[in-house]
Every structure is written in C-alpha cells, then in structure tokens.
Amino acid sequence: MNEENKLEIRKPESFITAKQSIKLYRQRWRRLKFHVASLDRLTGGGLHSRGIVEIAGDAGSGKTQLALHLALVAQVQPIDDMPRRGVVYIITEHPFPSRRITQMEKAFKKNARILSAPEKFNFTDNIFVEHLHSPTALEQCLSDRLPVLLENNPIELLIIDSVAAVYGDEQNYVDRAQSFRRVVHALHLLQERFDFAVVCTNQVRSVVDEMTLDEERVVPALGLAWASLVHTRIQLSRVIGNHERTCRLLFSPTAPPGQCEFVITEAGISDATEPL
Ligand code: GTP
Ligand code: MG
C-alpha cells in the first residue's frame, strides 16, 4: 500500500501534518481555470473548488457571459483519470440564454483541440439548468433535488446566476441573512461531498456618500451579511459602447487585489490582447 492510500484510510478526526494535508485533500486545492490568460493571471491560476466565488457587476457588464464561458471550460479539465464532469446552472432572473451558449459552444469546439477537449463532445448536453425565483425554492433545490442529481451526475461547477435576483423581494433582512447562511452552509456540505466549484453572480448598487459625490461608485448588492460568506469577490465593469471589460479582483484568499481586461466577442470570452 503506498503512502497516499494509507492516508486515505486514516480516521478523519485524527491529526495530520500540513504536508499530509496537501496530499490527502489534493482535490480541495485544485483550481478551475478560465483558460483566458489575463483572468488566470489575475486569480493566481483560476477559481477555487471550495467556498463561494462571487462575480458582481452592473447590467451588461458580462457576468452571464463569463458564467457561460466557465460552464464550457469547466468541462475540459477532468481531474486525473476521472470522467469528464458536468455543470449545474441555476438561473434566477432571465430565461437561460440557450442560443448564446450554443453559439459559444460552436466557437469553443473549434478551439477545443488547444484545450485538449474532444471536438465531438456536446458540452451543452452536460449543463443541467434549473430556473428558480425565490429563497424557498433555492433552499429546497439545494436540500432535495440537487443531491439526487449529484449522486448520478458528477459536476465540476455550480453556478447561481444571479443570487441577488432570488432575494430581490425579501424585505426582512434578518430572514434574508438566515437564508444566506443556510444556502452557503448547504453548498459547503455538498462541495465537500461531491467536490465542485461554486460561482454566484451578483448585482451592484450605487453608493452615494461624502466620499463619492463627484464620482459614481457601485458596490456588490446584498450587504455585509452576504459579503461575509463570500470567499473570492470579482467585480466587472464596462464602458458603454466598448467591448472591452474590466475585471477587478477585490479579495481572494490566495491572490492579491488587482485588475485586468477581457473582451466579449461572438465567440465568447477572450483575452483583451489575444482575442480568439
Ligand atoms: P445582467 O444579467 O442584466 O445584470 O447583465 P450581465 O452582467 O449578466 O450581462 P451579460 O453577461 O448578459 O452581458 C451582455 C453583454 O454581453 C451585451 O451587452 C454585449 O455587450 C455582450 N454580448 C453578448 N452577446 C454577444 C455577442 O454575441 N457578441 C458580442 N460582441 N458581445 C456580446
Ligand atoms: Mg446576467
């Protein structure tokens, strides 16, 4: 029995060394790469497969486009010998953009050889879409239907687009904060059991105070109760009429704050300096 197998059967409640933890929980530290050079550089190699990653930004800033891009690229990176894994896409506001993802998939397949993905693979067949519009429906989905789906379909990524829309009508901030905690707790437990990354998109709201009277400043919606549950926060912005987007990394446990540019084209998301 090799060292790694010995570690696998160690009782979870016993202490292990820091070095053993790297081997034992290898899948916890892996990253979901964007396969877009500027975004991978900014995030220090991609998104974590544990915790909640938030992509905030105003309408049209590219949150859904980036989420659709991730839904495709997540499928090109099976772990070691594991089979290719799918994506769950929970959509809460607009109808799921089926035409757009089909258009992106077409371009993506042309590029798939570079990413060592099979050209004949139908990526959209492996994206499981659910439409939800309320906190109760979201919580029920995470506790009842999602675990059943995950038992039968291993996934690499779960997207909630957008989390703000689910809580748009909730006026009771205490109930809202409790629901955030239940949702995030359920996601953490499922991540530990089924091993996948979680990306939530979020709207932004304007801030007007003495510091910002002369300039427009927007911050992610849902307040501190939500922000404290997020592990990595990314904020997108755009200049109207320009296809270039700015992506700011506001905080992450493993990469310093910074920013970069990317573009949205017919083919999808690509590096501002090396468009597809
Ligand atoms: P909300 O959901 O409304 O908050 O916005 P969002 O941030 O999700 O915006 P989304 O990701 O849907 O981005 C929409 C923008 O993407 C459009 O305004 C276009 O600028 C760009 N876009 C979408 N499809 C195409 C396309 O086929 N070609 C190009 N060049 N741009 C596109
Ligand atoms: Mg959107």
Side-chain angles (χ1 to χ4, degrees):
M1 190 184 289
N2 64 26
E3 185 60 21
E4 206 168 330
N5 288 341
K6 271 190 226 159
L7 285 173
E8 299 292 347
I9 56 170
R10 193 187 276 270
K11 281 186 187 160
E13 67 268 24
S14 65
F15 284 94
I16 55 168
T17 66
K19 191 170 177 192
Q20 285 171 328
S21 130
I22 293 170
K23 274 192 179 170
L24 184 57
Y25 300 118
R26 205 156 38 120
Q27 72 279 23
R28 281 189 191 167
W29 318 125
R30 69 196 169 77
R31 301 296 190 98
L32 174 62
K33 280 175 75 172
F34 285 94
H35 291 279
V36 174
S38 55
L39 294 171
D40 284 329
R41 255 196 317 271
L42 179 72
T43 51
L47 302 177
H48 286 268
S49 55
R50 290 293 182 280
I52 311 295
V53 175
E54 178 193 76
I55 301 176
D58 53 18
S61 60
K63 303 180 295 293
T64 298
Q65 303 300 310
L66 194 51
L68 295 175
H69 170 85
L70 284 170
L72 294 173
V73 293
Q75 297 180 53
V76 304
Q77 40 195 349
I79 323 150
D80 301 338
D81 301 331
M82 287 172 76
R84 198 162 294 283
R85 310 202 304 161
V87 171
V88 169
Y89 203 114
I90 297 176
I91 187 122
T92 64
E93 197 174 14
H94 310 295
F96 181 73
S98 317
R99 278 210 191 131
R100 176 60 174 148
I101 192 131
T102 311
Q103 181 189 33
M104 286 167 79
E105 183 190 25
K106 225 164 148 186
F108 187 70
K109 279 183 170 177
K110 283 193 195 149
N111 204 27
R113 219 174 310 129
I114 305 169
L115 303 168
S116 41
E119 283 167 75
K120 294 220 167 72
F121 189 75
N122 283 329
F123 294 91
T124 44
D125 284 348
N126 224 12
I127 301 175
F128 304 97
V129 178
E130 177 82 5
H131 289 82
L132 296 172
H133 306 286
S134 72
T136 315
L138 177 60
E139 287 188 42
Q140 269 170 4
C141 173
L142 298 186
S143 64
D144 304 341
R145 294 194 302 288
L146 185 63
V148 176
L149 179 94
L150 296 177
E151 290 282 358
N152 301 304
N153 301 279
I155 66 156
E156 184 70 6
L157 170 68
L158 179 140
I159 294 164
I160 303 179
D161 182 16
S162 77
V163 75
V166 176
Y167 293 95
D169 297 332
E170 182 60 75
Q171 299 297 322
N172 184 326
Y173 287 177
V174 176
D175 287 353
R176 197 174 83 160
Q178 282 170 347
S179 178
F180 292 160
R181 283 201 294 277
R182 284 194 298 270
V183 163
V184 170
H185 181 63
L187 286 169
H188 285 166
L189 291 178
L190 290 170
Q191 278 185 313
E192 217 35 62
R193 195 166 144 210
F194 295 103
D195 185 27
F196 57 89
V198 174
V199 170
C200 298
T201 68
N202 192 5
Q203 312 293 352
V204 289
R205 62 179 181 83
S206 294
V207 177
V208 180
D209 57 27
E210 282 174 8
M211 306 278 290
T212 57
L213 276 183
D214 296 333
E215 55 176 299
E216 190 190 349
R217 188 161 75 99
V218 291
V219 295
L222 302 179
L224 271 179
W226 169 254
S228 62
L229 299 168
V230 169
H231 155 302
T232 297
R233 175 166 268 182
I234 288 169
Q235 191 166 334
L236 306 184
S237 55
R238 65 168 175 162
V239 175
I240 304 282
N242 189 342
H243 67 314
E244 203 163 294
R245 299 315 202 254
T246 299
C247 175
R248 286 195 294 141
L249 181 67
L250 299 183
F251 57 79
S252 153
T254 52
Q259 71 174 58
C260 72
E261 267 68 47
F262 68 88
V263 290
I264 306 174
T265 65
E266 225 175 285
I269 301 288
S270 56
D271 201 296
T273 52
E274 306 160 17
L276 285 177

